[in-house]
Amino acid sequence: SGVERLGDMIAEARAIVPFTGAGISTECGIPDFRSPGGIWTRNRPIPFDEFVASPEARDEAWRRRFAMEEVFAAAKPGRGHRALASLYRAGKVPAVITQNIDNLHQASGFASEHVVELHGNTTYARCIGCGQAYPLDWVRRRFDDDGAAPNCTACDEPVKTATISFGQMMPDDEMQRATALSQSCDLFIAIGSSLVVWPAAGFPLMAKRAGARLVIINREPTEQDDVADLVIHHDIGETLGPFVGN
Ligand code: OAD
Ligand code: ZN
């Protein structure tokens, strides 16, 4: 079966790089983007240019974020996260590349320097001008007091969740680390991603081209199924549950 083959490939691998998308966190209560009921089926994305240009867009972005706070605050790592953390502790996984912003790989036991966050992190905020970090409750307090999204106390530029929006520059350091990981692993496992958002979706292909085996675990077909060595169209928690160890 697919899970047995996955087990063999994991046992044979020297360096496994997991690449995760929103599908790994749905069992933790966080909706994905493109499934029925997903974030982009309910709200249109707010592009970075619009966030910068429009105070109304900033207020709307923060209202959406605050509306999700209970979901993010309550979320705990799922079976997929825990399986990857077990392989990490066993020395099989040097680091995880993620498109997720929910901090759940860190919560499952990955050191933060071993989580490459291509699209940032929504559990804190940053000034888009000088990069100063802010806790979300500071933003919340200011928003409630002033009735509007706050600007940086140092440089007066807008404060935004520390995530990457459409039209925003990809983080240089993360892109370089993801490139190095993709080119040096011998097994690359794409988990819970529709693989439609670039440049993130380029990493599975980059790994395959550099000689790694490619596994895709996703409920639905993806655009890269035909280049993968193994495709498992099944629930992530059920597929990776057997790999949760100590
Ligand atoms: P998507 O919502 O595009 O894809 C998630 C995939 O996970 C879907 O194909 C689902 O079928 C699958 N899935 C969900 N739950 C699953 C489960 N329990 N078991 C198996 N499969 C499951 O999310 P991403 O690919 O992560 O970026 O989206 C990529 C980027 O698009 C995000 O990082 C975000 C978004 O716009 C930005 O906002 C910049
Ligand atoms: Zn600033």
Side-chain angles (χ1 to χ4, degrees), residues 19-27 30-36 38-40 45 79 98-101 118-119 163-167 170 191-197 200 217-222 232-239:
F19 170 88
T20 60
I24 199 173
S25 297
T26 53
E27 77 170 17
I30 301 172
D32 67 10
F33 293 92
R34 294 173 181 81
S35 291
I39 307 269
W40 297 154
R79 288 169 292 179
T98 190
Q99 300 166 87
N100 299 341
I101 57 176
L118 294 174
H119 295 163
T163 53
I164 306 297
S165 300
F166 288 114
M170 290 294 284
I191 303 164
S193 176
S194 59
L195 302 178
V196 297
V197 173
I217 306 172
N218 203 60
R219 212 155 48 192
E220 292 174 286
T222 78
I232 301 178
H233 287 155
H234 193 59
D235 179 74
I236 292 160
E238 300 220 327
T239 304

Side-chain angles (χ1 to χ4, degrees), residues 200-216:
F203 290 110
L205 299 172
M206 185 187 288
K208 178 71 188 155
R209 212 160 44 231
R213 285 169 157 180
L214 174 60
V215 176
I216 295 177

Side-chain angles (χ1 to χ4, degrees), residues 78-144:
R79 288 169 292 179
H81 298 102
R82 285 157 48 214
L84 299 182
S86 299
L87 293 169
Y88 168 68
R89 277 190 286 269
K92 299 278 282 188
V93 166
V96 57
I97 305 172
T98 190
Q99 300 166 87
N100 299 341
I101 57 176
D102 54 28
N103 211 54
L104 289 177
H105 290 299
Q106 292 92 328
S108 73
F110 276 84
S112 54
E113 67 266 29
H114 297 141
V115 183
V116 179
E117 294 179 312
L118 294 174
H119 295 163
N121 188 306
T122 195
T123 64
Y124 64 100
R126 267 192 199 290
C127 166
I128 64 172
C130 72
Q132 168 74 46
Y134 291 92
L136 291 189
D137 18 347
W138 177 86
V139 179
R140 187 70 202 249
R141 253 191 331 273
R142 291 287 311 272
F143 193 94
D144 289 347

